Amino acid sequence: MPIKKGKEALEELHNSSIEEEDRTVIELKVGEAIRSRGLTQKEVAEKSGIRPTAISNLARGYVDRISLDHLSKIVRALDIKDINELITINVESEAMQNWYHEKIEQDNEERE
């Protein structure tokens, strides 16, 4: 099945029959975009005017939300031409959600 992009992907997601136990996951790929351009997080922070800790959190995926202002600044700093370079939309099954939550708990326990 071909990967849908942009408006077509959003329409398919909206119109599809997703079971209740599934959820939509929006994945930010800021870290991947930074690495693919051979930049450091510090360089992106300087170019974008966003605090280095915020860039670090975004690059590691440690955010629940992102402002459109920050997203716009990152797009300009990285010269992003296609938003799919920064964002992926996935439908995650309940089994995958459970695995993900277990993994987070394990990571948190290891840090303590």
Side-chain angles (χ1 to χ4, degrees):
M1 181 166 89
I3 296 175
K4 309 267 188 207
K5 292 185 175 183
K7 185 177 179 183
E8 186 179 357
L10 290 174
E11 286 174 358
E12 181 176 297
L13 183 62
H14 181 266
N15 295 329
S16 67
S17 58
I18 301 171
E19 297 177 16
E20 272 190 60
E21 67 268 3
D22 292 347
R23 73 178 182 143
T24 302
V25 178
I26 298 174
E27 175 189 358
L28 289 176
K29 301 183 291 187
V30 174
E32 187 178 314
I34 291 170
R35 286 187 298 279
S36 73
R37 286 159 174 77
L39 297 172
T40 65
Q41 291 177 13
K42 182 179 179 183
E43 290 170 322
V44 174
E46 290 169 357
K47 288 175 100 174
S48 67
I50 299 172
R51 292 178 298 112
T53 53
I55 294 293
S56 175
N57 287 337
L58 288 165
R60 292 181 292 152
Y62 291 167
V63 293
D64 290 331
R65 61 185 67 119
I66 181 172
S67 74
L68 291 177
D69 182 53
H70 275 188
L71 194 57
S72 178
K73 288 177 179 181
I74 291 167
V75 164
R76 285 193 305 271
L78 296 176
D79 194 30
I80 300 288
K81 301 296 184 211
D82 181 352
I83 197 64
N84 291 301
E85 290 182 63
L86 278 184
I87 298 173
T88 302
I89 300 172
N90 296 307
V91 177
E92 189 176 87
S93 69
E94 185 175 13
M96 189 64 181
Q97 291 175 45
N98 291 338
W99 175 86
Y100 178 74
H101 289 294
E102 288 174 14
K103 177 77 174 136
I104 292 217
E105 287 176 15
Q106 289 172 355
D107 290 347
N108 288 340
E109 288 172 3
E110 289 174 5
R111 287 188 198 140
E112 292 175 354

